[in-house]
Every structure is written in C-alpha cells, then in structure tokens.
Amino acid sequence: SALVAVSITDNFAAIAAIVDNVTATEKSAIGTQSLDTTLGDITGVNTPAAATATQDFMTHLGACVDGAGLGNALQTVSQNGNFAVMAAIVDNVTVTEKSAIGTQALDAALQNLANYASTSTAGATAEVRDLMTHLGAYVDPNAIGQALITVSATGYTGSANFAATAAIIDNISAAEKPYVNGQSQYLDMTLQNLGNSDTPSNAQAVTTAVGDFMTHVGAYTNAIEIGSV
C-alpha cells in the first residue's frame, strides 16, 4: 500500500498527507496488516519527527490498528527508550483495543520502562505513570510486582526511584492488588527496598513513599515484612 511504501522510507510528510485525508469509510477498509506495518516503521525511529508522525497516525488511524500491532510497537519503543513516541501510542489507544494488546506486550513494555526509570533516565518515570494510567489495568499483576522491585531497588543510584514507584502503586487496580505480592512477595520486597533507601537526606522522601505504599497496597503486604521495615 501507499502507506507502507512511504513509511519504509520514513517519509513522514507523505504519511501525514495520506493519514490526514483518509475518509471514515476508508479507515476500516485499509486493513490491519498495512496499518500495523506502517506503525512499526514509524515507531522504529527515535526522533521528534517520528513522535509527531506517530501522534498523527494514532489520532486518525489508531483505532483501526490490530492489538498485536500496537503491542509490538509498544515493546519496540519502550526497549529503545523512545518515550515521546510511546506516549503518542499509549494516549490514543481506544477502550476496545486496550484488552486486545495482550499482557505479554504490556508486561514487557512496563519492565522496559522500569529498567530505564531505575537509572533515572530522563522521561522514563513520566512514561511509567502514563502507561500505568492508561493501560495498567491490563498488565499482569506479576509484571507489576517485578516492575516495582526494579524501580524501588537501590542498586543503580543508591536510592529508590520514589516517583516511579508511586506511579505504579497509585495506578494498580482494585482487581490486581490481591495478586501483585504473589509467591515472589513483590510487595514485601518493594517495601523493604523503600526502607533501605532511608538516609538522613532521603528521610522525607522515604516517609512519603512508605505512606503512599501503605495507603494503596499495605493491606496486601505480609505483616511480618511490615514489622521489619
């Protein structure tokens, strides 16, 4: 198709010329294969122009992209740390598509973002919150737990990423909360990580983070672990 042809060469102006003028009738007739391929081509580029093109594409045709195509794109951009392009996708996923993306892609995307956030990479924490706000309810609780362990660990920077930890905790759905701790005790370990970050210079941040943790998921954390922090 024409879209695929111009997206392969990263001709964002030509993509926009097509996308911005597709009629409502044509949108559903283009076919998911061409749309999935086009989105994959655009999101493979990490530039402001690509972010603009992704936003334009998702605004006009995002609702017609296959769930698998969205999932593949999310995995690619999160792995590459392409946060602006990722936001353009996440912010324009329809309610119907959210459940069609699949937990495997969402789990991988969240973990990729958590890895960046654990090293305080600029933009990563904001995108963790963006993903959790829009799609957190569709992420597997086990993956949420793993991401919490990653962002609350002190290994990379000597302190937990409190903002990223809150971004996840504050957006765990009621249905997910009972399953996040699991056999691996992710909540227990997260609370311990937050406690390990407690230093004179971090005291207020730790207090706030622990308070937020207890408010949202304290009821699902092992009492013995709570007592040991």
Side-chain angles (χ1 to χ4, degrees), residues 48-143:
T52 300
T54 302
Q55 178 71 39
D56 187 52
F57 178 90
M58 288 297 300
T59 300
H60 289 87
L61 293 170
C64 302
V65 179
D66 181 72
L70 291 170
N72 290 336
L74 284 173
Q75 289 185 80
T76 297
V77 296
S78 62
Q79 186 173 8
N80 294 336
N82 195 344
F83 306 129
V85 171
M86 184 162 188
I89 299 172
V90 170
D91 297 352
N92 290 285
V93 174
T94 67
V95 173
T96 302
E97 290 173 326
K98 289 180 179 181
S99 59
I101 293 174
T103 58
Q104 184 174 353
L106 294 177
D107 295 353
L110 179 59
Q111 187 59 53
N112 287 337
L113 292 177
N115 290 338
Y116 280 108
S118 70
T119 60
S120 298
T121 301
T125 296
E127 196 49 39
V128 169
R129 180 170 292 280
D130 190 46
L131 178 69
M132 286 299 299
T133 300
H134 289 88
L135 294 167
Y138 301 90
V139 179
D140 185 82
N142 186 65

Side-chain angles (χ1 to χ4, degrees), residues 31-41 57 64-70:
T32 57
Q33 185 174 354
S34 293
L35 295 177
D36 293 355
T37 300
T38 300
L39 180 61
D41 290 337
F57 178 90
C64 302
V65 179
D66 181 72
L70 291 170

